[in-house]
Amino acid sequence: MEKQLRNISNHSVMILKTLKRYREDAIKLCDLVLQVEDQVFPVHRSVLAACSQYFYAMFAGELKESSQSTVVLNDVKANILKQLLDFAYDGEIEIHSKNVEDILRLATQLQFIQVCDICCNFLEQQLDTMNCINIRNFATLYNCISFTSKIDIFMENNFKDVINSDEFKNLPFSVLKSLISSHKLNVVLEQDVYNAVIKWVKFDLNQRRNQFFALLNEVKLPLLSKKFIMQHIINEELIKSEMSCRDLLDEAKNYHLYPKMRAIFRSKRTIPRYSTVGLLFAIGGKETGEQITNKVECFSMFDNSWKSLTSLWSHRQQLGVCVLKSKIYAIAGSDGDNRLNSVEVFDWSTNSWNSSTPLQTCRSGVGVGALRGSIYALGGYDGHHCLSSVERFNPIDNKWHFIASMNFARSFPGVASLNDLIYVIGGNDGSTFLNTCECYDPHTDKWCTINPMNNGRAGVGCAVLDGCLYVAGGYDGIKRLNLVEKYDPNTDTWVCLSPMTSCRDGVSLASYGGYIFAIGGIDGPSYLNSVEYYDPLNDTWMPSQEMRTSRAACGVAVLSNKEL
């Protein structure tokens, strides 16, 4: 005989309603009376045990209450207990600002977990920057761990308003330290964090002085401006009076005094917060299906997401990109049919591209860099020859001018500016994949060679971090590469670093948020939308959020917060 399973969807509701009616009759099947103050509440042990770990432990164990017909509860408000007992039978409870504290207190005591969650959800809806600290202190008192974590995120996202609230002085030391140690702290400038620490300590200087160093240690003093350090920090008595604090100040001063040695000074205090690093842009390139794209998108480290922006007028791959006076320049490249000399300029304030003065020479695979208020376009391929010529854009007369040519013709080189010099790395001269490198001094209009890379290649990405050049990826004529090298201009030496997790020919590199980001490229069979970033402290590459568009030979740029 075939079995048949039937389900009555409201069966459990019907049972609870029946038990609630029995309870209201006060005599039918109730096996316990709770006595609070001068009131009594007939209940069913099994219902309470199902809703509360407190009552389950009371009834299921060997406590004397497990066999008593009446249990007296002390230090409990009868009207609040009644609401919890009603909830046990119908799953409904009314929470408002006048009763939420009492209900959460008793729900925590009696371990009505669902009611605790309802109270926390209500308080979460009331959160603002004026009350979040007091609500957090209250939630901590009742061990609402999940809710306090949500409040911490709220304070992290609204830090500047929170520190201006009257309640800021009541923020516990451990919470403040945790907040300001977070890379996700939402501030425009690091000086806001420093000012918050000084303000908090001076609310109660005698009690909090000993906690000052632990907080100052989380402030990124090296990333404060020289002017702010001179005007506000050097003469601060809290810092002058403690050697360990003076050491942190010395670290910040040395960071500014010796910019060529910043790799040595690298620490958690020299890595900027995500909210302060601006935006990373990926522009043009060739995407899956061999299609040359005009798509543009930008990445926010704070939001950990890519967002599409207005497209270029022209489809471009093998272009050069740089930033000048808060504008992004997309220069030359190829549209698939022609080598280009056209230039487009992006204005963030209007999310629009406009044309600019074209180069004198068409150049695909061009290297581009900005230095001292000018843009340099180096080498490339004009459709017939790899080029050694270089053009410089002067924004004053809005024209491109030829300057001294490189010592080698190069297409698809890496280019970056460092220490008032323009560096050009590797590339292809039409027959050879180069490991040669050279740099240009605008004061003398001369190129000089530096030590070569360990590996000849073209289609590399190049970026600067902490006074050193980083070169990654490319193609050596045989295979696509994941190789990474770093050049130290102080010693004129190259060292090999941990390779990227993917081989990337036509990769674009950018220094962003204290890391080196490798964007897109082609690994052989596939055009990549993947992104990874390098942490020099650990010599490791880690994955980042993928782009919306797969792209190789694109251009990248970073606009700082000040430029947005």
Side-chain angles (χ1 to χ4, degrees):
M1 181 181 295
E2 184 179 350
K3 293 182 179 180
Q4 195 172 52
L5 179 64
R6 295 184 178 181
N7 178 37
I8 301 176
S9 61
N10 62 346
H11 176 69
S12 58
V13 176
M14 290 170 55
I15 294 295
L16 270 177
K17 284 184 177 180
T18 302
L19 288 173
K20 181 180 180 183
R21 189 170 67 252
Y22 289 168
R23 174 175 172 247
E24 290 169 348
D25 289 344
I27 55 172
K28 291 183 179 179
L29 301 179
C30 289
D31 55 359
L32 178 69
V33 171
L34 296 179
Q35 183 175 332
V36 176
E37 297 173 342
D38 58 350
Q39 298 187 45
V40 294
F41 300 94
V43 293
H44 301 86
R45 294 173 189 265
S46 57
V47 174
L48 293 192
C51 293
S52 160
Q53 285 295 313
Y54 175 89
F55 285 116
Y56 176 82
M58 178 184 288
F59 302 145
E62 297 182 358
L63 297 175
K64 63 180 181 179
E65 289 88 350
S66 64
S67 59
Q68 291 177 338
S69 59
T70 299
V71 172
V72 178
L73 297 178
N74 297 313
D75 301 321
V76 171
K77 293 181 179 180
N79 64 319
I80 302 301
L81 178 63
K82 181 180 183 303
Q83 292 183 72
L84 292 183
L85 297 178
D86 289 343
F87 174 83
Y89 284 87
D90 60 22
E92 296 179 357
I93 190 166
E94 182 179 354
I95 305 291
H96 50 73
S97 58
K98 292 182 179 180
N99 72 2
V100 63
E101 183 171 350
D102 286 335
I103 290 177
L104 180 58
R105 182 184 295 111
L106 187 57
T108 302
Q109 178 184 334
L110 300 182
Q111 294 179 275
F112 277 73
I113 303 302
Q114 287 178 301
V115 176
C116 291
D117 291 341
I118 292 170
C119 291
C120 290
N121 289 336
F122 172 82
L123 289 170
E124 185 177 356
Q125 294 171 11
Q126 313 307 311
L127 270 184
D128 60 38
T129 56
M130 298 294 107
N131 66 20
C132 59
I133 293 174
N134 279 350
I135 290 179
R136 190 194 190 283
N137 292 340
F138 172 69
T140 301
L141 186 63
Y142 296 107
N143 202 33
C144 302
I145 297 174
S146 177
F147 182 41
T148 55
S149 296
K150 291 181 180 179
I151 299 174
D152 289 344
I153 294 172
F154 176 85
M155 291 194 294
E156 199 175 72
N157 289 333
N158 298 277
F159 186 72
K160 193 165 185 180
D161 291 330
V162 170
I163 63 180
N164 289 323
S165 71
D166 291 336
E167 294 181 4
F168 178 59
K169 61 181 178 291
N170 299 321
L171 188 65
F173 161 76
S174 60
V175 180
L176 177 58
K177 184 174 183 294
S178 177
L179 282 173
I180 66 174
S181 67
S182 172
H183 285 302
K184 297 180 181 179
L185 190 68
N186 187 13
V187 291
V188 177
L189 299 170
E190 188 63 24
Q191 68 188 49
D192 296 333
V193 184
Y194 172 82
N195 288 335
V197 168
I198 294 293
K199 180 179 180 180
W200 185 87
V201 171
K202 290 185 176 180
F203 271 130
D204 190 353
L205 186 58
N206 290 334
Q207 296 296 319
R208 296 176 176 179
R209 178 186 291 273
N210 292 336
Q211 297 168 320
F212 177 60
F213 170 74
L215 295 175
L216 190 67
N217 192 47
E218 303 300 333
V219 180
K220 301 177 183 296
L221 292 182
L223 302 185
L224 296 169
S225 68
K226 289 183 285 187
K227 181 179 179 181
F228 187 86
I229 292 173
M230 295 299 294
Q231 292 183 347
H232 299 280
I233 298 182
I234 284 181
N235 295 317
E236 172 55 55
E237 288 300 326
L238 281 168
I239 293 177
K240 291 168 65 176
S241 62
E242 186 174 341
M243 178 66 74
S244 56
C245 293
R246 295 203 300 271
D247 289 342
L248 292 177
L249 175 59
D250 287 342
E251 176 190 51
K253 290 192 291 187
N254 289 335
Y255 185 82
H256 287 285
L257 287 171
Y258 306 105
K260 294 182 181 180
M261 300 176 64
R262 285 183 176 174
I264 298 174
F265 300 133
R266 187 174 179 86
S267 72
K268 67 177 184 179
R269 287 177 293 277
T270 65
I271 301 173
R273 301 183 195 274
Y274 297 162
S275 60
T276 66
V277 300
L279 297 173
L280 170 64
F281 294 77
I283 300 164
K286 181 182 283 190
E287 58 181 307
T288 302
E290 301 291 316
Q291 179 179 347
I292 298 174
T293 185
N294 63 348
K295 295 176 183 176
V296 179
E297 53 189 310
C298 68
F299 176 70
S300 164
M301 186 178 280
F302 183 71
D303 296 331
N304 193 35
S305 64
W306 289 88
K307 180 177 72 173
S308 296
L309 300 172
T310 300
S311 297
L312 291 160
W313 290 2
S314 300
H315 292 71
R316 298 175 188 267
Q317 66 159 335
Q318 304 167 1
L319 69 160
V321 167
C322 69
V323 174
L324 184 67
K325 295 183 178 179
S326 303
K327 301 289 196 301
I328 298 176
Y329 285 72
I331 298 167
S334 168
D335 63 8
D337 296 318
N338 303 293
R339 272 73 190 178
L340 306 174
N341 67 343
S342 59
V343 177
E344 300 180 48
V345 183
F346 180 75
D347 187 333
W348 168 258
S349 65
T350 59
N351 187 23
S352 62
W353 290 91
N354 297 288
S355 61
S356 182
T357 307
L359 297 168
Q360 297 193 51
T361 304
C362 295
R363 302 173 186 265
S364 64
V366 62
V368 167
L371 179 66
R372 299 179 66 86
S374 298
I375 298 175
Y376 293 77
L378 305 92
Y381 182 69
D382 65 3
H384 303 285
H385 305 97
C386 290
L387 304 171
S388 62
S389 63
V390 180
E391 299 181 50
R392 179 168 59 196
F393 177 70
N394 184 345
I396 296 175
D397 65 10
N398 204 35
K399 292 181 179 179
W400 290 90
H401 304 271
F402 282 106
I403 59 173
S405 295
M406 297 179 291
N407 294 309
F408 299 87
R410 304 173 188 269
S411 61
F412 306 102
V415 172
S417 56
L418 175 63
N419 300 334
D420 281 340
L421 301 172
I422 288 282
Y423 286 81
V424 59
I425 312 295
N428 184 287
D429 65 4
S431 60
T432 304
F433 289 86
L434 304 172
N435 67 346
T436 57
C437 311
E438 49 190 312
C439 61
Y440 174 77
D441 186 340
H443 300 289
T444 62
D445 190 32
K446 290 183 178 179
W447 289 89
C448 65
T449 58
I450 62 172
N451 268 335
M453 286 188 295
N454 292 294
N455 298 277
R457 42 190 163 146
V460 298
C462 186
V464 171
L465 181 64
D466 292 334
C468 293
L469 282 170
Y470 289 78
V471 178
Y475 180 65
D476 64 2
I478 300 174
K479 59 185 179 298
R480 270 94 184 190
L481 305 172
N482 62 356
L483 302 176
V484 182
E485 300 184 49
K486 180 178 75 170
Y487 175 75
D488 186 343
N490 298 311
T491 58
D492 190 27
T493 56
W494 290 90
V495 294
C496 292
L497 306 176
S498 291
M500 297 181 291
T501 60
S502 296
C503 295
R504 298 176 184 269
D505 176 20
V507 65
S508 299
L509 236 57
S511 176
Y512 178 57
Y515 303 96
I516 295 292
F517 274 71
I519 294 124
I522 181 171
D523 64 2
S526 303
Y527 288 88
L528 304 174
N529 67 342
S530 62
V531 178
E532 53 187 302
Y533 64 98
Y534 177 76
D535 182 356
L537 278 178
N538 302 310
D539 187 31
T540 55
W541 288 90
M542 292 165 287
S544 183
Q545 189 69 27
E546 293 180 344
M547 293 182 290
R548 297 184 175 190
T549 301
S550 302
R551 52 178 99 225
C554 69
V556 295
V558 173
L559 286 181
S560 68
N561 270 6
K562 294 180 180 179
E563 296 170 313
L564 293 172

